[in-house]
């Protein structure tokens, strides 16, 4: 048996005054998958970062197979066969996948003969059940491919303990099944132990043996997955019995006037090739239109072009006037939204939470008086939004990159959804959110719709999409290939269009 | 008459010879800057390093009688300056651009201060290799007298290419420069790599400076540099952070720089100063033409935060 048993004892970690981990202990049995559950900001990422030597806990011990180890850097973890797929990508964007694999090896080779190296890498990666191109730059991979490349990297490095921090948020259900199924089979064979952080209960139930729930930095529940019901887990996460899911307000039929109209839109991707091809669509007032599709089929480019982040051909009009994403137009036409990777695309990561919350309206009263900022009003607004959307942060003045992944998302939603929204564009709005926050976000999107806003929702999660939207558009290879009302949608048909097996 | 016998060849030959001479410091400084930038930092201070290297190289060559010792001394002076830059920038919240600018001033000042006694004496110059022995035409011979450092520079460009693409350390350097998060996750010593890369850049810039004082123009004076250290930064961007391109770009700039003197040589004296401005105009034109919003630089080190 080569899979190690790893035990964390009494881990405590502070960030300034913020106690991120409070005396947490965790036992990962040999040859099992151990799931970590918890709300956004509960400390899951912090705990596993301590385990790979990325953070240094104030207190606590790490034992591998009963022997105590000190991990001062990820290199030490590497030597013990512990590796992690981080929540945010850590591949080097300008290097190819093969170069990334080589540079992450335990010993850096002096001279690399790429011909034989590529042959060797192909041999090794051929045994894996999923395919990632080796000689393509990481920056040109789609989010799903990047995630698979991260996992390939860890498996290639021959890990004995593999930590996966929300690995499936950018994978389609089928890809997630491939990846996690393979990890599962390795643990069953006794070759690997694993830690899986996820917000999806069905994944935990399907792939994990044990589960530990964190709440506000403390371990509140641990045990075999089979012994714990979903309700018990949810209750442990939020600390109170779960009320039944909120019922969405009843749908009212959309009004006839068109808010967003896109005609013959063409957009190039980063590689200079067309990513969106002659795309036309319209969204009406009081309607949620959903774009379904596997990631990397032009959704990202579509959203960036709509928001003026990318050059484009074709016309985009909002409420009848042409829209180029300038600040004036955004405010006048009420266009708001949540882009992909919000920390990168909707925040200024070195500015404070309060300032980030004010990015939409810092140039209007009451946040400014003449040319001067009114920091009092800024703080008041931030406090209100943080309370209303329950953003958990070390403080209003904490810099944005100190927030946990899910809380960045909440902060952006708080800023965008409290404006006078007439068109809402949201890409995967619930990526990385815990189930409470997911429900809240759904409710807010539906509220915006019922308030008369037009909503364009881009999501790779088909179930989420079908539960929310009025009309489904399927995007594949840069085109809308299928359109159907949500009430008469057939998941299998949509799936076929998504996979590009049917053309429009 | 000889001049008429090679006729139209005079001008291209003069430009070629000039290009080789003028480009040599560009090759060293731009490849040095390239190595530094690949680690995720910009060292604008190379202009100061260049002057310091020119002075130190000249001084040591004069004192020891060996120009090659001078080159080494210039490299070491540059390394020391690189170390200063690397250390200062490792302090939290210190900005590499600002440090670079202050190092331009410091380096130039130090060079002038210690260089005062060196303006008069004549130090032994670097040898050049004669490739024109087959011809009896003096213009051909003059153009084919190539300084030894030029060949070192060509080898250097290829060596750096191999280093960045085919060695583990080269990949580590690129990792550190492209994504600090990735480097930390792999346990690479980010600061140490950056400091070493800045030192290596300083070493090469120092050597580039020694070429100015020991080969062409070949003496020490305060007006020795005409901004090669600054232009190297533009060259690196133009070369898309690839060392072989940097070699080509340096030659191109060298050719542009040789245009004025070469034209003067064949008797075209009008617009002399305008032709001398050619490399600078070329810099601007190339920067404008090669920057595109649609396709951000694929090889730009991400930590430089240049694009977007
Ligand atoms: N580098 C940091 N500096 C300061 N505070 C931090 C830092 N990283 C995390 N924190 C804080 O520690 C707490 C736990 O964060 P962590 O990232 O572990 O949460 P998480 O459980 O992974 O949440 P999510 O599900 O949103 O990813 C949060 O309150 C967060 O704001
Ligand atoms: Mg996390």
């Amino acid at each position: 048996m080569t899979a190690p048993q790893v035990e964390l004892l009494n881990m405590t970690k502070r960030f300034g005054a913020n106690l991120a981990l409070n005396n947490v202990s965790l036992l990962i049995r040999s040859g099992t998958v151990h799931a970590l559950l918890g709300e956004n900001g509960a400390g899951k990422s912090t705990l596993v970062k301590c385990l790979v030597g990325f953070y240094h806990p104030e207190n606590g011990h790490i034992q591998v197979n009963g022997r105590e180890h000190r991990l001062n850097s990820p290199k030490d973890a590497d030597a013990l066969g512990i590796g992690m797929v981080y929540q945010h990508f850590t591949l080097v964007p300008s290097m190819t996948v093969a170069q990334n694999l080589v540079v992450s090896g335990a010993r850096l080779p002096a001279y690399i003969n790429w011909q034989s190296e590529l042959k060797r890498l192909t041999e090794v990666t051929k045994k894996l059940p999923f395919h990632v191109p080796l000689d393509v730059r990481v920056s040109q991979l789609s989010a799903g491919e990047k995630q698979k490349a991260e996992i390939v990297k860890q498996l290639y490095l021959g890990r004995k303990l593999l930590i996966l921090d929300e690995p499936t948020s950018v994978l389609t259900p089928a890809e997630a099944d491939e990846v996690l199924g393979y990890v599962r089979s390795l643990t069953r064979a006794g070759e690997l132990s694993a830690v899986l952080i996820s917000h999806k209960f069905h994944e935990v139930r399907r792939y994990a043996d044990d589960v530990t729930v964190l709440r506000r930095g403390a371990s509140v529940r641990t045990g075999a997955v089979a012994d714990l019901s979903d309700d018990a887990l949810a209750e442990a996460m939020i600390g109170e019995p779960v009320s039944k899911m909120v019922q969405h307000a009843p749908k009212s039929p959309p009004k006839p006037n068109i808010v967003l109209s896109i005609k013959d839109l063409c957009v190039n991707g980063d590689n200079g090739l067309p990513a969106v091809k002659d795309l036309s669509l319209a969204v009406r007032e009081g309607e949620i239109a959903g774009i379904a599709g596997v990631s990397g089929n032009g959704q990202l480019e579509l959203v960036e072009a709509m928001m003026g982040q990318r050059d484009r051909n074709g016309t985009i009009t909002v409420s009848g006037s042409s829209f180029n994403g300038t600040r004036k137009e955004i405010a006048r036409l009420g266009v708001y939204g949540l882009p992909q990777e919000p920390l990168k695309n909707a925040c200024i990561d070195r500015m404070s939470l309060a300032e980030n919350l004010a990015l939409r309206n810092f140039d209007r009263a009451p946040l400014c008086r003449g040319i001067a900022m009114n920091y009092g009003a800024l703080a008041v607004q931030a406090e209100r939004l943080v309370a209303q959307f329950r953003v958990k942060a070390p403080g209003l003045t904490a810099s944005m990159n100190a927030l946990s992944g899910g809380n960045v998302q909440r902060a952006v939603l708080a800023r965008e959804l409290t404006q006078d929204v007439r068109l809402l564009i949201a890409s995967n709005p619930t990526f990385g959110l815990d189930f409470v926050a997911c429900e809240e976000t759904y409710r807010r999107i539906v509220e915006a719709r019922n308030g008369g806003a037009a909503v364009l929702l881009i999501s790779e999660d088909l179930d989420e999409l079908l539960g929310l939207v009025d009309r489904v558009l399927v995007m594949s290879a840069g085109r809308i290939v299928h359109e159907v009302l949500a009430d008469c949608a057939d998941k299998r048909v949509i799936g076929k269009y998504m996979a590009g097996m049917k053309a429009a | 008459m000889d001049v008429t016998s090679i006729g139209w060849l005079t001008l291209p030959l003069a430009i070629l010879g000039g290009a080789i001479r003028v480009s040599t410091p560009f090759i060293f400084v731009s490849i040095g800057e390239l190595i530094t930038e690949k680690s995720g930092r910009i060292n604008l201070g190379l202009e100061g390093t260049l002057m310091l290297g020119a002075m130190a190289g000249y001084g040591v060559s004069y004192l020891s009688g060996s120009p090659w010792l001078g080159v080494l001394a210039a490299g070491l002076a540059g390394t020391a300056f690189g170390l200063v830059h690397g250390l200062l920038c490792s302090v939290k919240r210190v900005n590499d651009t600002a440090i670079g600018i202050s190092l331009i001033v410091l380096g130039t000042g130090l060079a002038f201060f210690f260089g005062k006694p060196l303006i008069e004496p004549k130090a032994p110059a670097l040898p050049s290799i004669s490739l024109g022995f087959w011809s009896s035409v003096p213009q051909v011979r003059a153009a084919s007298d190539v300084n030894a450092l030029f060949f070192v520079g060509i080898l250097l460009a290829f060596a750096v290419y191999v280093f960045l693409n085919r060695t583990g350390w080269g990949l580590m350097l690129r990792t550190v420069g492209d994504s600090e998060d990735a480097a930390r996750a792999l346990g690479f010593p980010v600061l140490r790599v950056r400091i070493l890369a800045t030192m290596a850049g300083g070493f090469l810039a120092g050597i580039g400076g020694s070429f100015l004082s020991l080969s062409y123009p070949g003496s020490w004076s305060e007006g020795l540099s005409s901004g090669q250290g600054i232009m190297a930064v533009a060259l690196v961007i133009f070369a898309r952070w690839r060392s072989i391109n940097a070699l080509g770009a340096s030659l191109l700039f060298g050719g542009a720089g040789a245009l004025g003197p070469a034209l003067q040589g064949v008797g075209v004296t009008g617009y002399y100063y305008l032709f001398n401005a050619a490399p600078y105009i070329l810099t601007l034109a190339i920067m404008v033409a090669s920057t595109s919003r649609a396709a951000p630089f694929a090889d730009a080190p991400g930590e430089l935060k240049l694009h977007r």
Side-chain angles (χ1 to χ4, degrees):
Chain A
M1 230 26 175
T2 51
Q5 163 169 318
V6 177
E7 190 163 19
L8 299 167
L9 291 163
N10 308 103
M11 305 290 280
T12 299
K13 171 76 192 167
R14 271 172 212 286
F15 292 107
N18 176 17
L19 190 59
L21 289 178
N22 183 4
N23 213 18
V24 176
S25 297
L26 183 74
L27 172 69
I28 305 150
R29 293 181 296 133
S30 151
T32 61
V33 178
H34 195 118
L36 277 182
L37 277 174
E39 285 183 288
N40 295 127
K44 305 175 298 291
S45 296
T46 306
L47 181 65
V48 288
K49 282 183 185 172
C50 288
L51 177 52
V52 292
F54 193 88
Y55 285 156
H56 304 123
E58 268 86 52
N59 236 319
H61 306 273
I62 295 170
Q63 291 184 351
V64 179
N65 290 331
R67 278 195 44 206
E68 169 116 18
H69 289 274
R70 278 194 68 86
L71 301 176
N72 291 319
S73 107
K75 280 264 175 255
D76 298 338
D78 195 271
L80 289 169
I82 301 176
M84 157 142 144
V85 174
Y86 289 78
Q87 190 168 6
H88 301 284
F89 297 126
T90 55
L91 293 170
V92 186
S94 77
M95 301 204 307
T96 64
V97 175
Q99 288 172 331
N100 267 286
L101 291 180
V102 170
V103 82
S104 52
R107 272 190 48 245
L108 283 176
Y111 180 81
I112 306 156
N113 179 343
W114 279 113
Q115 234 168 11
S116 60
E117 195 66 33
L118 274 176
K119 213 181 273 166
R120 198 174 65 82
L121 291 175
T122 316
E123 280 301 307
V124 176
T125 50
K126 225 171 35 198
K127 295 189 201 114
L128 302 176
F130 36 91
H131 174 76
V132 183
L134 285 175
D135 49 2
V136 176
R137 276 178 200 266
V138 168
S139 56
Q140 301 203 346
L141 297 179
S142 70
E145 284 175 315
K146 275 186 209 167
Q147 188 64 279
K148 282 197 256 180
E150 293 268 10
I151 292 167
V152 166
K153 180 173 105 181
Q154 296 302 326
L155 294 173
Y156 157 80
L157 292 171
R159 300 303 193 198
K160 295 291 160 248
L161 176 68
L162 178 60
I163 302 161
L164 302 166
D165 194 352
E166 300 190 23
T168 57
S169 52
V170 294
L171 299 179
T172 61
E175 288 174 317
D177 189 55
E178 260 173 14
V179 169
L180 292 182
Y182 185 62
V183 169
R184 187 90 196 85
S185 70
L186 289 179
T187 56
R188 286 256 162 86
E191 287 169 26
L192 188 76
S193 308
V195 177
L196 171 67
I197 298 180
S198 176
H199 288 295
K200 299 176 186 160
F201 283 13
H202 67 91
E203 269 176 21
V204 171
R205 204 152 281 296
R206 179 130 183 229
Y207 302 106
D209 303 286
D210 298 337
V211 56
T212 294
V213 181
L214 294 184
R215 186 169 74 235
R216 306 212 177 124
S219 159
V220 289
R221 193 86 198 245
T222 182
V225 174
D227 299 342
L228 292 163
S229 66
D230 281 359
D231 279 346
L233 290 173
E235 192 177 324
M237 274 173 69
I238 57 175
E240 56 191 59
V242 213
S243 52
K244 272 285 148 255
M245 299 287 163
V246 267
Q247 272 297 301
H248 298 162
K251 292 179 183 178
S252 44
K255 312 220 164 50
N257 43 327
I258 287 172
V259 177
L260 170 69
S261 149
I262 298 178
K263 286 216 177 69
D264 305 323
L265 183 74
C266 293
V267 187
N268 284 354
D270 279 341
N271 51 9
L273 300 175
V276 176
K277 300 162 196 159
D278 291 323
L279 183 141
S280 302
L281 61 81
V283 187
R284 278 169 300 189
E285 187 180 326
E287 177 192 42
I288 305 181
I291 294 189
V294 179
S295 79
N297 274 283
Q299 298 97 317
L300 180 79
E301 288 83 359
L302 170 65
V303 172
E304 287 187 356
M306 272 194 274
M307 303 310 285
Q309 286 177 293
R310 203 173 262 278
D311 293 339
R312 65 180 200 220
N313 281 317
T315 49
I316 298 178
T317 55
V318 176
S319 311
S321 36
S322 95
F323 181 75
N324 298 298
T326 63
R327 196 167 171 83
K328 238 196 212 135
E329 289 170 346
I330 289 173
R332 186 167 59 86
L333 301 170
V335 181
Y336 295 99
L338 179 86
Q340 227 161 24
E341 290 190 66
L343 185 60
K344 200 176 111 199
N345 290 318
C347 298
I348 301 170
D349 58 356
R350 285 175 204 180
M351 286 191 2
S352 74
L353 170 61
E355 287 165 333
N356 270 288
L357 286 171
L359 286 181
R360 285 292 183 202
N361 59 353
F362 68 87
D363 52 354
R364 288 196 292 264
L367 292 196
C368 72
R369 284 176 301 213
I371 57 163
M373 290 290 299
N374 178 351
Y375 279 95
L378 189 121
V380 170
Q381 161 173 306
E383 212 157 312
R384 180 169 50 83
L385 292 178
V386 162
Q388 199 182 336
F389 283 76
R390 292 193 280 128
V391 182
K392 290 201 198 82
L396 295 181
T397 52
S399 93
M400 205 64 191
N401 47 20
L403 265 64
S404 81
N407 279 301
V408 170
Q409 192 99 343
R410 289 190 199 200
V412 174
L413 282 170
R415 182 183 76 205
E416 301 290 307
L417 289 177
T418 49
Q419 310 294 324
D420 174 23
V421 184
R422 265 165 288 158
L423 170 63
L424 183 71
I425 298 169
S427 310
N428 297 305
T430 57
F431 261 18
L433 290 186
D434 63 49
F435 73 93
V436 184
C438 277
E439 280 302 314
E440 267 175 29
T441 307
Y442 294 151
R443 188 168 49 79
R444 291 207 157 94
I445 290 176
V446 170
E447 271 172 19
R449 193 261 319 263
N450 292 347
V455 181
L456 184 65
L457 178 73
I458 295 102
S459 177
E460 283 142 36
D461 185 340
L462 195 53
D463 293 322
E464 166 179 298
L465 208 68
L466 289 175
L468 215 52
V469 303
D470 303 306
R471 191 155 52 96
V472 185
L473 307 164
V474 182
M475 192 161 175
S476 171
R479 293 199 165 86
I480 301 291
V481 291
H482 183 58
E483 182 177 340
V484 59
L485 288 180
D487 296 333
C488 15
D490 180 341
K491 251 177 101 168
R492 275 168 311 170
V493 176
I494 291 178
K496 279 198 176 141
Y497 278 108
M498 279 171 68
M501 277 147 66
K502 277 182 159 184
Chain B
M1 230 163 79
D2 252 346
V3 177
T4 45
S5 73
I6 57 165
W8 60 274
L9 267 177
T10 319
L11 185 62
L13 271 176
I15 293 180
L16 179 70
I20 289 174
R21 276 195 301 274
V22 179
S23 67
T24 307
F26 276 127
I27 298 175
F28 281 90
V29 184
S30 63
I31 289 182
E33 179 68 20
L34 186 146
I35 294 174
T36 306
E37 289 192 12
K38 274 287 178 193
S39 81
R41 276 191 188 152
I42 288 190
N43 184 0
L44 284 185
L46 290 190
E47 176 69 19
T49 312
L50 184 89
M51 285 304 279
L52 196 69
M55 185 279 297
Y58 198 73
V60 170
S61 169
Y62 171 66
L63 292 176
S64 71
S66 157
W68 289 109
L69 265 185
V71 172
L72 183 67
L76 292 180
T79 310
F81 243 55
L83 178 66
V84 172
H85 185 278
L87 287 178
L88 286 177
C89 293
S90 302
V91 180
K92 256 206 167 74
R93 287 173 178 276
V94 170
N95 176 278
D96 51 355
T97 311
I99 291 290
I101 290 173
S102 57
L103 285 186
I104 296 182
V105 179
L106 179 66
T108 321
L110 282 178
F112 288 1
F113 178 74
F114 290 108
K116 273 275 172 303
L118 295 173
I119 296 181
E120 281 294 299
K122 184 86 195 107
L126 282 169
S128 55
I129 298 163
S130 230
L131 297 177
F133 49 83
W134 45 270
S135 168
S136 59
V137 185
Q139 281 86 352
V140 174
R141 280 177 163 261
S144 329
D145 253 3
V146 181
N147 66 86
L149 271 184
F150 178 72
F151 294 107
V152 179
I154 290 178
L155 286 183
L156 179 73
F158 286 92
V160 168
Y161 173 83
V162 170
F163 173 75
L164 288 175
N165 290 290
R166 293 182 169 248
T167 68
W169 283 8
L171 291 185
M172 173 164 81
L173 176 70
R174 288 170 58 185
T175 303
V176 168
D178 210 32
S179 161
E180 188 165 338
D181 278 343
R184 290 203 188 285
L186 290 173
F188 290 151
V190 174
L191 287 183
R192 207 186 319 155
V193 170
R194 289 195 173 147
I195 292 172
L196 285 173
T198 317
M199 287 167 71
F203 182 76
L204 295 179
I207 292 183
S210 74
F211 174 86
L212 291 177
S213 60
L214 292 176
S215 185
Y216 180 80
S219 65
W220 165 251
S221 76
E222 296 188 351
L224 195 55
S225 160
S226 43
Q228 282 97 331
I230 296 287
M231 298 231 306
V233 178
L235 264 177
V236 172
I237 300 175
F238 169 50
R240 293 285 192 276
W241 292 269
R242 292 184 202 151
S243 62
I244 311 284
N245 288 1
L247 177 66
S250 298
L251 280 168
L252 188 66
F253 273 59
L259 200 59
L263 280 173
Q264 203 184 25
V266 294
V268 181
T269 46
Y271 307 112
Y272 177 68
Y273 289 101
L274 190 63
F275 282 120
N276 271 355
Y280 309 97
I281 297 171
L282 193 67
T283 315
L284 279 176
I286 281 172
M287 292 306 284
V288 171
S290 65
T291 314
S292 136
R293 202 156 68 95
F297 308 138
D299 277 307
E303 289 295 319
L304 290 182
K305 307 221 156 59
L306 281 179
H307 48 300
R308 299 218 166 186

